[in-house]
Amino acid sequence: MQYKGIKVNVITGFLGSGKTTLIKQLLEQVPEGERWAVLVNEFGEVGIDGELLKVGDIAIKQVPGGCLCCVSSAAFSVGLNELIKTAKPDRILIEPTGIGHPHQIVEQLCSKPYYGVLEVCGTICLMDVRNLSDPRYLGQPAFFDQIDDADILIASKADLYSSDDELRFLQFAKQFEPAKSVIALSEHGRFDQSWLDVARAQQHSHHDHDHDHDHDHDHDHDHDHDHDHDHDHDHDHDVVTSQPSAGVMCYQKRDLDMASIGWVADSNWFITSERFEQFLAYLSEASNFWRFKGIIRVDDQFEQINMTQTEMQRRATDEVLTSRFECIFSITDGYEKHLNVLHKILF
C-alpha cells in the first residue's frame, strides 16, 4: 500500500482549554525530515482554527460543521483521505470540536479502511482544572467524555492554578481505569513531544464510573454511545445563512443543545473599537455564552480574539484580509435575542 504507518493523535479538550495553542507549539517543533498535517473538525461553519494554525508549509484541512454526537462520516473521511494523499504526512494531528464526543472519531481511525495506513497513537485531552468547580462544565457530558477517552491528560494553563487546583487535578486524574499513560500540568502549551508516541489504550471505559466530582454524568444525557445514529445519518443540523451587511455572511448552526453564530466579512468591513467593547461586554454578561473566537478588524487593525466567560486573550495580527469570527451559545429561550443584539452592535 502506498500510504503506511502514518501516526495519528487526536487532541481533545473543551472550549477554551488551549488546544489551538498546544497544536501551534507542536507544529513549530516538527522533527527535521518529518512532514506533519492537521485535520480540524470544527462545530461551526466558518472555520476559525485553520486560519490560526498556519505555520510554515504544514498542510491543514478544515472540516467544518462537526456533528456533536457522532462523526459526520462522509465529510470527515473525505477530508482525512485528501490530507493523506496530498500531504503524504508522517503524522496527523486531529482537533475535533471542543464540544463534541471524540470516541467515534478514534473508532473511525481504527476502522478497516485505515488498517496499516494509520497508526493511532495516544489521545490527548487538555482540561482547565478550575472548570471542575463550575456547574456549567460539570453539566456537559462531552467535557467528561473527552477526559474519559484520553490516554494523556494535561492540565493546561497551570501558571494560573493555585496549589489546591494542582492537588485536585492530580487526585482527579489518578482515578481512571485504565490509568492514564501521562498525567501532567502544562503552562503556555508546553508538551513533551515524546508523549505523542504513547500507545493508545485498548479499551477505555465509558459512562460506567462516577468520579469524585459528585456529578453522575452517567445520567445527564440521552445520547449514550449505544445511540441509534449511524455514521451516515441525516439528522437536521439546522444551518441558516444570511447577509446582515454588505460584504458580510452570517452562518447559524444548531445541533443538540448548542448553537454557533459565525461571520465572515471582507477586508472593507470593520467594527469601531467603541462598538467592539460593547460587543465583548454583552457576551460576557450573557448567561448561556460559551466562547467567542476568531480574527476581527477593529478600526484599522486586525485582532485575534479568544474569549470565554472567564478569560480573554487578544492580540494584533496582520497576515489576514478577512474577518472570521464565531460565538458559541447554549440554546435557551434567549438565543434569538442574542443574535438580534449582536447584529445591532456589529452592523
Side-chain angles (χ1 to χ4, degrees), residues 90-120:
D90 299 290
R91 186 183 298 273
I92 301 173
L93 304 178
I94 297 180
E95 180 193 0
T97 171
I99 45 180
H101 302 259
H103 183 66
Q104 286 191 351
I105 285 183
V106 179
E107 279 191 338
Q108 189 161 343
L109 299 173
C110 296
S111 66
K112 202 168 183 180
Y114 297 111
Y115 286 176
V117 178
L118 301 180
E119 179 189 334
V120 181

Side-chain angles (χ1 to χ4, degrees), residues 42-225:
E42 295 192 66
F43 171 53
E45 300 294 310
V46 169
I48 305 291
D49 284 1
E51 289 293 315
L52 302 181
L53 286 171
K54 285 180 178 171
V55 175
D57 61 352
I58 302 278
I60 297 171
K61 180 72 182 169
Q62 294 198 113
V63 182
C67 174
L68 294 190
C69 60
C70 46
V71 179
S72 58
S73 176
F76 183 84
S77 295
V78 168
L80 178 60
N81 296 346
E82 190 179 310
L83 203 54
I84 290 169
K85 287 172 185 168
T86 58
K88 301 181 175 63
D90 299 290
R91 186 183 298 273
I92 301 173
L93 304 178
I94 297 180
E95 180 193 0
T97 171
I99 45 180
H101 302 259
H103 183 66
Q104 286 191 351
I105 285 183
V106 179
E107 279 191 338
Q108 189 161 343
L109 299 173
C110 296
S111 66
K112 202 168 183 180
Y114 297 111
Y115 286 176
V117 178
L118 301 180
E119 179 189 334
V120 181
C121 302
T123 295
I124 298 148
C125 178
L126 302 185
M127 63 177 292
D128 185 333
V129 181
R130 296 168 298 178
N131 293 339
L132 288 172
S133 306
D134 188 335
R136 296 178 82 227
Y137 288 84
L138 300 182
Q140 284 292 330
F143 176 70
F144 290 106
D145 281 356
Q146 293 169 11
I147 294 168
D148 284 348
D149 203 62
D151 303 290
I152 299 155
L153 185 58
I154 307 290
S156 55
K157 308 183 181 181
D159 50 310
L160 304 176
Y161 297 161
S162 67
S163 54
D164 283 350
D165 290 331
E166 292 183 12
L167 184 62
R168 183 171 192 192
F169 168 66
L170 294 172
Q171 289 172 338
F172 172 79
K174 285 174 180 171
Q175 320 170 55
F176 290 86
E177 285 294 333
K180 303 302 183 193
S181 299
V182 175
I183 294 168
L185 293 130
S186 169
E187 299 180 10
H188 310 298
R190 292 191 189 120
F191 187 90
D192 184 331
Q193 210 164 68
S194 68
W195 295 340
L196 291 174
D197 291 329
V198 162
R200 173 76 182 157
Q202 290 305 303
Q203 185 62 51
H204 283 271
S205 54
H206 287 278
H207 309 305
D208 58 356
H209 54 275
D210 182 19
H211 306 309
D212 70 358
H213 42 59
D214 299 322
H215 173 83
D216 184 1
H217 56 280
D218 200 27
H219 305 296
D220 267 9
H221 55 106
D222 55 9
H223 51 277
D224 251 312
H225 288 299

